Amino acid sequence: MFSNKVTSIGQSPIREFAPIQEKRIEEGTKVYQLNIGQPDIVTPKEFFSAVNNFDESILAYTNSKGIPELLETFEDYYKEIGTDLTKEDMIVTNGGSEAISFAFLTLCNEGDEIIVFEPYYTNYNIFATQAGINMVSITTKPEENFRLPKKEDIEAKITDKTRAFCITNPSNPTGRVYTRDEIDLLCEIAKEHDLFIVVDEVYREFVYDGEFISFSSVKGMEDRVIIIDSISKRFSACGARIGLIASKNEEFMAHVLKLAQARLCAPYLDQVGAAAVLKNTSKDYINSVIKEYKNRRDTIYNRLKKIKGVQVKKPAGAFYMIVKLPVENAHEFSKWLLEKYDHKGETVMLCPASEFYATKELGIDEVRLAYVLKEEDLIKAVNILDKGLFAYQKALAEEKSVSINKKPGVVLNKEQYAI
């Protein structure tokens, strides 16, 4: 009855756990959400002021490329950060998600391939399914701090169907900030094999260690790099669905415009607010947000390191981290923690990391944590996680004991099933 594309899309644990979260909240349990990248940072007042002062009598369609004032402010923004993108190189989109979808649809025929580096942002899979293309994953390892693999390992995945690399910098979900060497390597491979690079740079401001380097800064890559951007995270404006797709490749952008025209335009009022927030928000706001996230990162990292059996690498950017837990199945533990456990009326919502991997056996005992809560809430959440891990292990041991002791003639003492 329904399309293969839709039925092949799996259910996200975030969506699966949502009804459980709602039920716990209704019961009076406080739930600390570390599962989703929804910041609790206050959105700049400039956004709301611009929308409230909108005085046109008709809320009309806008140009499919975006309203002029927003494109101009994006151009000024890129000049400030040293990126040579003009308004002619840009199209405003309904969030960064639509920008990625447009890139895949423009670059690929059905059956073509996009190479990604796992773990990667899971929604890329949905955009690929919509476009009828295949995501080919190359594994990066936590013990190597998720560094890009060697050239020969990357090239081994390239086929005559490969059209592009897709990469997030800084990374969601790992927090990796790619070095100049890694960026130069990927650009070198793209040039040698006539490929594009789709770069999701929505977290570019949030770098705490090292230096952010845009793929668009690499000379000779102007026609091959496609920039994905958004105001969602930068200005804590996820509900304002304003993103951007940009490239110096005129032919590519001309084709993207056809897709933009088919959906008519991005929301007018959100564009008005975005133009104001980009133009008028002070650097002090951004600097304070970066400082806040760095403090949060340090807080959650230092406390996680103290939990027995937990393994984690300190992320250099964005506001995510992959955490290996002392459990066999992080999905089952995360569901148990949310559904059946609380400490003094409070619990934690996690995001199992397996959905960020294409390789089935990877990420089973990992979660992705988003440190988007204020410091005192992060401390409480990690303490609950610590206590929850102990309670879960104890519950499993007791369950195992009961199960084994039901067998005729079998009796175990505590030491034989203790964890």
Side-chain angles (χ1 to χ4, degrees), residues 128-385:
T129 300
Q130 290 174 334
I133 63 179
N134 299 314
M135 302 296 278
V136 176
S137 64
I138 300 176
T139 305
T140 63
K141 302 175 181 179
E143 59 267 27
E144 297 173 355
N145 210 7
F146 303 104
R147 182 179 177 82
L148 291 186
K150 295 178 181 179
K151 183 177 183 180
E152 55 267 29
D153 295 329
I154 297 174
E155 289 184 315
K157 292 287 189 174
I158 297 174
T159 71
D160 59 359
K161 290 286 189 179
T162 307
R163 296 293 293 130
F165 296 107
C166 182
I167 191 167
T168 311
N169 187 33
S171 169
N172 172 11
T174 69
R176 174 78 186 180
V177 177
Y178 295 102
T179 64
R180 170 61 72 182
D181 287 345
E182 290 172 286
I183 290 169
D184 287 344
L185 172 63
L186 206 59
C187 289
E188 177 185 312
I189 297 171
K191 288 175 71 175
E192 290 177 1
H193 293 270
D194 195 22
L195 304 176
F196 287 86
I197 302 180
V198 180
V199 190
D200 188 341
E201 293 187 351
V202 302
Y203 300 99
R204 73 166 62 88
E205 267 78 13
F206 305 132
V207 175
Y208 322 115
D209 301 322
E211 176 189 8
F212 172 77
I213 301 168
S214 176
F215 279 79
S216 63
S217 68
V218 179
K219 298 299 181 185
M221 289 297 296
E222 292 82 2
D223 284 352
R224 297 183 183 277
V225 171
I226 297 158
I227 300 294
I228 307 298
D229 208 345
S230 170
I231 72 163
S232 293
K233 313 300 183 181
R234 189 171 301 130
F235 297 108
S236 193
C238 296
R241 304 307 299 143
I242 297 299
L244 191 80
I245 185 167
S247 176
K248 303 298 285 188
N249 190 311
E250 294 181 9
E251 185 177 5
F252 170 81
M253 292 303 295
H255 290 309
V256 171
L257 183 57
K258 299 173 189 176
L259 300 173
Q261 290 169 334
R263 58 81 164 122
L264 302 178
C265 66
Y268 194 172
L269 286 178
D270 284 351
Q271 291 189 73
V272 169
V277 83
L278 266 169
K279 183 177 182 179
N280 300 324
T281 301
S282 71
K283 287 186 174 61
D284 289 342
Y285 172 87
I286 293 294
N287 291 336
S288 67
V289 171
I290 295 169
K291 182 179 179 181
E292 174 66 19
Y293 279 129
K294 185 178 185 298
N295 289 338
R296 293 179 180 189
R297 180 209 56 175
D298 293 343
T299 295
I300 192 171
Y301 172 77
N302 290 332
R303 289 185 173 263
L304 285 169
K305 290 287 287 184
K306 295 177 181 178
I307 301 177
K308 184 178 180 180
V310 166
Q311 298 178 34
V312 59
K313 295 291 184 181
K314 181 182 283 189
F319 40 65
Y320 306 100
M321 55 175 58
I322 294 289
V323 182
K324 184 180 178 71
L325 300 178
V327 299
E328 288 187 5
N329 190 302
H331 183 280
E332 291 179 2
F333 168 70
S334 299
K335 186 175 182 179
W336 176 89
L337 187 68
L338 180 64
E339 187 173 33
K340 298 182 178 181
Y341 179 79
D342 71 82
H343 175 66
K344 297 181 179 179
E346 299 181 334
T347 191
V348 179
M349 192 171 181
L350 310 175
C351 182
S354 56
E355 67 171 313
F356 297 96
Y357 291 87
T359 305
K360 296 301 180 185
E361 64 270 19
L362 296 180
I364 302 300
D365 56 356
E366 297 173 350
V367 292
R368 184 202 70 172
L369 301 185
Y371 44 97
V372 292
L373 305 180
K374 59 186 178 181
E375 194 169 0
E376 63 189 73
D377 286 347
L378 286 177
I379 293 170
K380 291 178 181 178
V382 175
N383 287 341
I384 293 168
L385 173 61

Side-chain angles (χ1 to χ4, degrees), residues 388-408:
L389 281 167
F390 179 81
Y392 183 70
Q393 292 165 340
K394 182 179 179 182
L396 287 181
E398 292 173 349
E399 183 180 312
K400 183 178 179 181
S401 170
V402 170
S403 176
I404 293 176
N405 275 299
K406 283 182 179 179
K407 295 180 180 180

Side-chain angles (χ1 to χ4, degrees), residues 106-137:
T106 301
L107 292 176
C108 300
N109 292 313
E110 293 219 1
D112 282 346
E113 298 172 349
I114 298 283
I115 292 178
V116 290
F117 300 92
E118 65 178 357
Y120 61 92
Y121 180 49
T122 186
N123 278 351
Y124 293 164
N125 292 322
I126 297 177
F127 308 141
T129 300
Q130 290 174 334
I133 63 179
N134 299 314
M135 302 296 278
V136 176
S137 64

